[in-house]
Amino acid sequence: SLGSCDKENDKPNEDDTSTAQYEIPTSYAAFDNVSYSGQIQRLGMLFELKSYMATSQTLGVALDADQLKAMYANDIDNANWLGVYQDNKQLQNKTIETEQDKFVALLEELAVLSQVTTVGGVGLDGVVQSLDGAKSYLIGADGLDHAQVIEKGLMGACLYYQATSVYMGSDKMNVDNQVLLEGAQGTAMEHHWDEAFGYFGVPKDFPTDKDGLFFWGNYADKRNEVLDCNQALMDALLKGRAAISNKDLTTRDEAITEARKIWEDISVGSALHYINSGIEKFDDYALRAHGLSEAIGFIYSLKFNMDKRISNTKVDELLVKLADSADFESMSLNNITIEKLNDLKDELASIYGFESQKNEF
């Protein structure tokens, strides 16, 4: 179901157009009939879920499990949203099906963990402060910042998966590209590409405009100094949309390959960044646990790009090296060492050809 686009199925919509015959714009705002309101709503939901989970960083503030699950499933009556969302939009049913129950379980565990009213530490549930007192995080006895695993995990299993494997996948790309949909949404193929763009979480004029970056857009910008990924991913997304609008499916498929690769690099670069952070701040338990929990989420996210350059088996092996298990329920960061982190960094960098950059992230 996650196979690459079938060119034979594309033939009815294909002509001899090439990029030499049309212009690729420099802004997504140049395209007509663009709509990705569902993606904007889901970004808003995840942002509100993130913000609610973060309240548990204050000792004595407990989270409500029913509200956490309601936010995930968009149960409007119980989610206590600050924003306005359509009742048919949610994060849960857009998360790859095999992972949905895992996130429900993680949310329930986070709610239980937040009931603790004592200061945490190695092997102890509770809120832990950084050595300088500037940061505090709710850390489990397993050494995980569960809120970070949930947030980064959903960035992968929901947002990244939908963009790279669903909306850029064959089922969404082998569709009509002649008839305009109702409601200023372009053709079916154009609309699906726009929805993939929506999951990137950037303004239409990115990277010139960086006002309001969400999730992957934010982490692309953080990794841009090393990867030069901001303009590269935006160029691929602009190229793909222009190609679709000009019935140039060969170039569209090139853009899909490019976008998937650059997006994967952003997740790898982010994992390497937080591994480096764990090494640098190893003696600060709060910062180490927080950062390495983010590394867990970004490594786990690598599973959900159908063109990934790593196997799921290898992803699980990397997670075991970091957290003793590839299963969220059994993970622990209590046995990690600087030596193990350096070995993990070396292996991940080698897989993706980042040996010369691994210490720069």
Side-chain angles (χ1 to χ4, degrees), residues 40-59:
I40 292 173
Q41 290 182 59
R42 291 183 185 93
L43 293 177
M45 291 175 191
L46 186 54
F47 185 79
E48 288 203 45
L49 176 59
K50 171 187 176 179
S51 299
Y52 179 53
M53 291 191 296
T55 63
S56 66
Q57 295 172 359
T58 299
L59 192 63

Side-chain angles (χ1 to χ4, degrees), residues 123 125 139-146 285 328-329 331-334:
D125 293 334
I139 308 296
D142 53 13
L144 268 66
D145 183 334
H146 292 245
Y285 177 66
F328 291 138
E329 296 287 323
M331 284 183 176
S332 172
L333 288 170
N334 291 334

Side-chain angles (χ1 to χ4, degrees), residues 19 27 32 65 74 76 90 101 115 139 155 157 160 171 179 196 199 202 213 226 238 246 257 286 291 300 311 314 345:
T19 52
S27 167
D32 296 326
N74 191 19
I76 292 179
Q90 59 175 270
D101 289 345
Q115 310 296 318
I139 308 296
M155 282 176 58
Y160 179 61
D171 287 350
V179 179
Y199 281 115
V202 300
L213 301 180
V226 178
L238 292 166
N246 286 277
T257 299
Y300 163 81
S311 69
K314 177 55 71 173
K345 176 173 65 173

Side-chain angles (χ1 to χ4, degrees), residues 122-190:
V122 178
L124 299 172
D125 293 334
V127 174
V128 183
Q129 279 195 332
S130 59
L131 293 178
D132 63 4
K135 301 286 187 181
S136 63
Y137 304 108
L138 178 62
I139 308 296
D142 53 13
L144 268 66
D145 183 334
H146 292 245
Q148 288 301 315
V149 174
I150 292 167
E151 178 197 340
K152 272 58 181 188
L154 286 176
M155 282 176 58
C158 182
L159 309 183
Y160 179 61
Y161 163 70
Q162 286 293 324
T164 63
S165 292
V166 176
Y167 283 99
M168 291 182 185
S170 57
D171 287 350
K172 295 291 188 181
M173 286 290 101
N174 291 342
V175 294
D176 181 74
N177 194 28
Q178 305 290 341
V179 179
L180 292 177
L181 300 173
E182 294 182 4
Q185 298 180 111
T187 67
M189 193 186 299
E190 287 174 328

